[in-house]
């Protein structure tokens, strides 16, 4: 529920026992939608804006006033006078504005407190040392309420060209060391201080760093360029060139997680008869546990334990994925052959979604030792780990396009990764919904599912 809707509810409550005009309700609902869209366009849902007082409240007042003016002006342009009590629109505007300003003021105070306490900080690493890095660090520290926590500096140059300590921060290693450090330390942002005109060096760095699920920003505080808000980002007044954005961040991550929880919960309820019948069939078919657990790669290369219905004989199960499942594989039980073809064996992964290890939609989680022709998949595909920039999913863009089942050639894993990267670079909630819609139809293609 948006904050604007609170004003609408307040208005309806203020109406008391009197009859609520249907057109007034439609007008209020339209206002809620428009307020949300206008505030999104004005970046009113960005944390950096929410921390401010006067700029935030000014955007709120201007946005709401524009919408109020539209509700008055549009009917006049079309010579249409709505049959609406004259006090309804004004009352909605006043109560909504008062509610928004009050709540945003309280939110700003709360966010500032959380920032000072370090709960909203962004963990950042400086790539490239020397005087350029020192100047940047000092400029960032001058910004009011800055929420950047610099973890250290990484630079390929030796100490004679790049000091071991820069502005009080240590040089922790080379750029090659940074990839592993960023994963372990859960870094949110990489700030590159290399000059914009050093193209070759920049490309070498980006080739190593783009596989990380982080924002990559190029420092532009010394560049004599005119930056537009949409072409760059700012920490206070310090400008940065946006090189790579974290695929799912801020409110997008909240919306995606909410969708996961709602759909996964509903799916568990609706599919519970199928899951119970499958569990019973597995128990009657062969001895052993009903569920099979396997270690797979999750978000940011973290190893997670994924649930499946057991489809192999227990004494022949392969939790380390040493042997690829093939057609007519003797390790598969009678029940297992059916549930693998129908993808019923994947249904327990809905519990992984609820726990936050998986998403409903994303690149499929691969086993840690997954391989083709005795070569691990990260050795087969250059940039393979870039598919771990988002949470893995129960279904994905590769799967609905026919790339599911056995991976027995390098071409098949190349194609899977190609579709996974496309999904990551073009992610949206609508894209997720489209993939979910196509998933049941994709299950009819069982050519490689065994």
């Amino acid at each position: 529920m948006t904050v604007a809707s609170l004003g609408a509810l307040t208005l309806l409550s203020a109406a008391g026992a009197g009859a609520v005009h249907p057109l007034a309700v439609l007008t209020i609902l339209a206002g809620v939608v428009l307020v949300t869209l206008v505030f999104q366009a004005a970046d009113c849902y960005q944390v950096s804006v929410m921390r401010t007082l006067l700029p935030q409240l000014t955007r709120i007042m201007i946005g709401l006033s524009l919408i109020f003016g539209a509700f008055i002006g549009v009917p006049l342009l079309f010579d249409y006078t709505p049959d609406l009590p004259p006090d309804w629109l004004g009352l909605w505007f006043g109560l909504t504005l008062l509610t928004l300003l009050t709540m945003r003021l309280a939110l700003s105070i709360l966010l500032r407190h959380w920032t000072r306490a370090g709960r909203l900080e962004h963990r950042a690493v400086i790539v490239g040392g020397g005087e350029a890095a020192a100047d940047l660090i000092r400029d960032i520290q001058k910004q009011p309420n800055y929420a950047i926590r610099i973890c250290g500096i990484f630079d390929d140059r030796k100490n004679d060209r790049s000091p071991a300590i820069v502005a009080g921060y240590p040089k922790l290693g080379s750029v090659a060391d940074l990839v592993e450090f960023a994963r372990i330390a859960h870094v949110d942002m990489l700030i590159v201080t290399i000059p914009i005109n050093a193209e070759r060096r920049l490309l070498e760095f980006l080739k190593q760093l783009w596989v990380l699920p982080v924002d990559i920003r190029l420092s532009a505080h010394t560049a004599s360029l005119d930056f537009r808000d949409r072409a760059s980002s700012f920490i206070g007044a310090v400008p940065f060139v946006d090189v790579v954005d974290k695929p799912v961040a801020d409110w997008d991550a909240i919306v995606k997680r909410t969708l996961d929880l709602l759909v996964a919960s509903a799916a568990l309820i609706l599919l519970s008869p199928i899951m119970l019948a499958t569990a019973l069939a597995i128990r009657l078919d062969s001895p052993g546990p009903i569920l099979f657990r396997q270690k797979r790669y999750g978000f940011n290369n973290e190893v997670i334990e994924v649930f499946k219905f057991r489809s192999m004989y227990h004494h022949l199960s392969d939790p380390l994925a040493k042997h690829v499942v093939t057609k007519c594989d003797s390790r598969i039980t009678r029940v297992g052959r059916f549930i693998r073809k129908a993808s019923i064996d994947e249904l327990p992964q809905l519990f992984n979604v609820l726990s936050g290890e998986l998403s409903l939609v994303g690149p499929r989680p691969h086993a840690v030792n997954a391989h083709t022709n005795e070569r691990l998949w990260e050795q087969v595909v250059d940039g393979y780990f870039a598919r771990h920039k988002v949470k893995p999913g129960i279904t994905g863009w590769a799967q609905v396009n026919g790339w599911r089942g056995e991976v027995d050639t390098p071409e098949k894993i190349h194609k899977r990764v190609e579709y996974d990267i496309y999904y990551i670079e073009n992610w949206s909630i609508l894209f997720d919904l489209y993939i979910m819609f196509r998933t049941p139809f994709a299950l009819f293609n069982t050519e490689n599912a065994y």
Side-chain angles (χ1 to χ4, degrees):
M1 181 185 297
T2 64
V3 176
S5 64
L6 294 175
L9 292 175
T10 306
L11 172 57
L12 293 176
S13 299
V20 177
H21 199 286
L23 192 54
V25 176
L26 291 176
T27 302
I28 290 169
L29 293 176
V32 169
V33 174
L34 285 175
V35 164
T36 304
L37 294 176
V38 169
F39 286 3
Q40 176 67 29
D43 292 333
C44 291
Y45 298 119
Q46 298 293 328
V47 174
S48 57
V49 174
M50 290 180 179
R51 269 196 295 263
T52 65
L53 284 175
L54 186 59
Q56 176 185 195
L57 299 183
T58 301
R59 294 187 190 203
I60 295 291
M61 293 179 67
I62 292 175
L64 198 61
S65 298
L66 288 174
I67 294 169
F68 182 68
F71 274 105
I72 295 176
V74 170
L76 296 177
L77 289 176
F78 292 95
D79 195 24
Y80 168 70
T81 303
D83 182 19
L84 186 68
D87 57 337
W88 276 89
L89 202 55
L91 188 58
W92 169 78
F93 174 79
L95 291 175
T96 301
L97 180 61
L98 180 62
T99 303
L100 280 169
L101 294 181
T102 302
M103 295 193 69
R104 285 296 183 126
L105 179 61
L107 181 61
S108 176
I109 295 172
L110 189 60
L111 287 176
R112 288 185 174 201
H113 171 71
W114 284 345
T115 298
R116 287 192 296 270
R119 295 174 63 180
L120 291 178
E121 65 185 10
H122 281 69
R123 300 170 65 86
V125 162
I126 306 294
V127 182
E131 195 58 34
D135 290 342
L136 173 65
I137 292 171
R138 285 191 285 265
D139 285 346
I140 290 176
Q141 291 175 336
K142 291 177 184 177
Q143 306 308 311
N145 297 312
Y146 79 96
I148 300 294
R149 180 182 179 185
I150 299 173
C151 300
I153 297 168
F154 288 79
D155 197 346
D156 283 342
R157 296 174 297 177
K158 295 182 179 180
N159 289 350
D160 57 339
R161 298 182 58 200
S162 175
I165 302 291
V166 177
Y169 292 92
K171 186 168 67 174
L172 301 178
S174 67
V175 175
D177 302 321
L178 172 55
V179 174
E180 187 63 25
F181 176 84
R183 294 193 189 282
I184 295 173
H186 297 284
V187 170
D188 301 300
M189 180 186 299
L190 305 181
I191 302 176
V192 183
T193 62
I194 300 166
I196 294 176
N197 56 6
E199 295 180 8
R200 183 175 178 180
R201 193 173 171 211
L202 277 173
L203 289 174
E204 290 175 355
F205 281 175
L206 293 177
K207 187 176 181 180
Q208 298 177 66
L209 302 176
W210 78 283
V211 299
L212 294 169
V214 299
D215 292 327
I216 300 179
R217 300 288 180 258
L218 180 61
S219 171
H221 73 296
T222 59
S224 56
L225 299 174
D226 183 19
F227 290 97
R228 297 174 299 163
D229 285 350
R230 295 297 178 185
S232 61
S233 58
F234 292 81
I235 297 176
V238 182
F240 297 86
V241 177
D242 298 345
V243 180
V244 176
D245 283 324
K246 195 173 183 178
V248 186
D250 299 329
W251 294 107
D252 288 337
I254 294 174
V255 173
K256 185 172 174 65
R257 179 63 180 149
T258 301
L259 181 67
D260 284 344
L261 291 173
L262 292 176
V263 176
S265 300
L268 279 172
I269 294 172
L270 294 174
L271 298 173
S272 57
I274 296 176
M275 295 178 70
L276 290 172
T278 302
L280 180 61
I282 292 172
R283 174 66 71 188
L284 295 175
D285 184 49
S286 64
I290 294 171
L291 293 180
F292 172 71
R293 294 174 172 85
Q294 189 174 59
K295 294 189 183 300
R296 300 192 176 191
Y297 280 121
F299 172 70
N300 197 30
N301 267 32
E302 293 180 354
V303 177
I304 60 175
E305 197 171 61
V306 169
F307 300 124
K308 297 182 68 173
F309 279 125
R310 179 174 60 83
S311 59
M312 294 184 179
Y313 292 103
H314 179 52
H315 67 287
L316 298 175
S317 61
D318 185 17
L320 298 180
K322 293 181 178 179
H323 304 286
V324 178
V325 176
T326 58
K327 193 172 185 178
C328 300
D329 198 313
S330 60
R331 297 174 297 168
I332 307 297
T333 66
R334 290 173 301 173
V335 171
R337 203 168 304 282
F338 171 76
I339 64 176
R340 290 177 73 95
K341 273 191 172 293
S343 291
I344 294 174
D345 62 323
E346 311 283 0
L347 292 182
Q349 290 170 28
L350 290 168
F351 292 106
N352 288 112
V353 174
L354 293 181
S355 68
E357 296 168 321
L358 296 184
S359 179
L360 288 170
V361 181
R364 285 292 296 144
H366 292 162
V368 173
N369 294 311
H371 60 276
T372 298
N373 297 335
E374 304 303 322
R375 294 176 65 199
L376 295 173
W377 285 348
E378 59 262 35
Q379 298 170 344
V380 176
V381 183
D382 188 28
Y384 170 82
F385 288 122
R387 66 190 303 277
H388 302 151
K389 294 169 71 170
V390 298
K391 281 185 186 178
I394 295 180
T395 184
W397 185 233
Q399 283 63 46
V400 300
N401 281 281
W403 297 102
R404 59 188 287 252
E406 184 183 5
V407 181
D408 54 356
T409 65
E411 179 198 10
K412 289 183 178 179
I413 186 57
H414 272 282
K415 277 295 184 182
R416 284 195 182 194
V417 173
E418 178 184 328
Y419 277 90
D420 290 340
I421 299 301
Y422 178 87
Y423 166 79
I424 292 170
E425 293 179 346
N426 295 275
W427 177 85
S428 70
I429 285 296
L430 290 178
F431 197 9
D432 272 6
L433 293 173
Y434 176 65
I435 292 172
M436 280 190 258
F437 172 76
R438 283 189 54 179
T439 295
F441 302 99
L443 295 178
F444 289 111
N445 179 12
T446 61
E447 182 181 354
N448 295 316
Y450 37 81

